[in-house]
C-alpha cells in the first residue's frame, strides 16, 4: 500500500509508485546536479546572484516536476476514490456518482480508463495500458473493489462500468487472451469506430463490452 494512504484503503495505481520512484529520483538528482554545474560555470563570468538564478531556472522545474509526480496516488476507501496529484487531492464517492465514462486513448500505447464524477469533483482512473503484443492492467483487488464501489450506487452508467470490470476479472481468472478481455475490446471498439486518438465510449458501446 502506498505510504501515507489510510489503513484499509485499496491502491488503484495502474503503475505503483515504487516502480517509477527510483527513476524519478534520478531525474531530480540529475537536474539538480546540472543546475549546480551550470551555476558554477556562469559564476566565472557573471555575478553570483545571476549564476544562482540561471542554475535554479535549469534545475527547479524538472526536479520539482519529478518530485511531485512521485506523490501521485489513487486509492479507494470504502466507496470513496481519492486521487492525489502533486499537492492537491480530489475525492469522489462512487456510490453517489452522477457520471461514469469509459475513456479510451488509442495510440501506439493505448490506455483505457474510467472517469467518475459526483457533482463536486471528477477523478480519472487508468485501468489498462496496451501495446500490440501485451499490456498492463489494474490488479484484481483494485478492479474488484472499484466494481463494488460503482455497484453501490444507482447510476446506470456506473453499474454498466462495474459490469465491464467484473467481466475483466472473469477474463483474467480464466487466463483469456487480450481479444477476450473487455478493457482491450474497448481499445478495439474505439479504433474500429475511427475515434482516435481519444474518445469516450457511448453507453451502448460500454454495454457491449460486458457481453
Amino acid at each position: 500500500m502506498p505510504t501515507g494512504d489510510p489503513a484499509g484503503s485499496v491502491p488503484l495505481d495502474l503503475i505503483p509508485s515504487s516502480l517509477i520512484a527510483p527513476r524519478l529520483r534520478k531525474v531530480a538528482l540529475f537536474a539538480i546536479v546540472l543546475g549546480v554545474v551550470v551555476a558554477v560555470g556562469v559564476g566565472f563570468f557573471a555575478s553570483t546572484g545571476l549564476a544562482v538564478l540561471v542554475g535554479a531556472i535549469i534545475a527547479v522545474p524538472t526536479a520539482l516536476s519529478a518530485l511531485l509526480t512521485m506523490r501521485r496516488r489513487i486509492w479507494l476507501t470504502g466507496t470513496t476514490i481519492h486521487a492525489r496529484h502533486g499537492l492537491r487531492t480530489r475525492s469522489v464517492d462512487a456510490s453517489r456518482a452522477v457520471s461514469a465514462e469509459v475513456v479510451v486513448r488509442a495510440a501506439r500505447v493505448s490506455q483505457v480508463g474510467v472517469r467518475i464524477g459526483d457533482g463536486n469533483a471528477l477523478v480519472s482512473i487508468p485501468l489498462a495500458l496496451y501495446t500490440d503484443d501485451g499490456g498492463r492492467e489494474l490488479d484484481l483487488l483494485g478492479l474488484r473493489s472499484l466494481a463494488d464501489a460503482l455497484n453501490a450506487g444507482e447510476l446506470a452508467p456506473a453499474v454498466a462500468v462495474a459490469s465491464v470490470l467484473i467481466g475483466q476479472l472473469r477474463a483474467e481468472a480464466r487466463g483469456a487472451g487480450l481479444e477476450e478481455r473487455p478493457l482491450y475490446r474497448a481499445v478495439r471498439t474505439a479504433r474500429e469506430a475511427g475515434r482516435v486518438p481519444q474518445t469516450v465510449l457511448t453507453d451502448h458501446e460500454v454495454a457491449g463490452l460486458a457481453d
Side-chain angles (χ1 to χ4, degrees):
M1 183 177 301
T3 301
D5 293 350
S9 64
V10 178
L12 296 179
D13 296 305
L14 179 59
I15 302 177
S17 61
S18 58
L19 295 181
I20 61 174
R23 180 174 296 181
L24 291 173
R25 289 192 190 99
K26 289 180 181 179
V27 169
L29 180 60
F30 176 78
I32 292 171
V33 171
L34 179 61
V36 170
V37 170
V38 171
V40 170
V42 172
F44 286 113
F45 307 99
S47 67
T48 301
L50 180 59
V52 171
L53 178 61
V54 172
I57 290 173
I58 292 174
V60 171
T62 301
L64 184 60
S65 176
L67 294 174
L68 289 177
T69 299
M70 287 172 57
R71 285 181 48 82
R72 289 184 179 179
R73 300 282 192 280
I74 305 176
W75 70 95
L76 181 69
T77 305
T79 60
T80 302
I81 303 161
H82 309 275
R84 185 172 69 203
H85 298 282
L87 301 177
R88 294 185 58 191
T89 299
R90 293 182 179 180
S91 298
V92 168
D93 188 343
S95 68
R96 298 182 178 180
V98 298
S99 64
E101 303 171 314
V102 175
V103 183
V104 179
R105 188 183 71 224
R108 191 169 186 177
V109 177
S110 299
Q111 177 176 296
V112 183
V114 59
R115 188 164 58 202
I116 303 169
D118 63 0
N120 297 313
L122 193 69
V123 296
S124 296
I125 307 163
L127 300 174
L129 290 172
Y130 295 112
T131 60
D132 290 336
D133 56 357
R136 184 181 185 90
E137 298 162 336
L138 187 63
D139 63 71
L140 299 180
L141 178 59
L143 287 172
R144 177 77 258 183
S145 300
L146 183 56
D148 289 344
L150 290 169
N151 266 328
E154 299 179 354
L155 183 71
V159 174
V161 172
S163 297
V164 172
L165 301 184
I166 292 171
Q168 179 75 16
L169 284 167
R170 291 172 177 166
E172 291 191 30
R174 67 174 185 270
L178 285 181
E179 293 292 336
E180 299 177 66
R181 300 191 176 208
L183 294 181
Y184 183 80
R185 292 207 305 269
V187 176
R188 190 178 62 190
T189 297
R191 285 177 173 165
E192 290 176 351
R195 304 205 308 270
V196 295
Q198 182 167 309
T199 188
V200 175
L201 298 189
T202 66
D203 292 343
H204 178 71
E205 288 170 334
V206 172
L209 299 178
D211 293 340

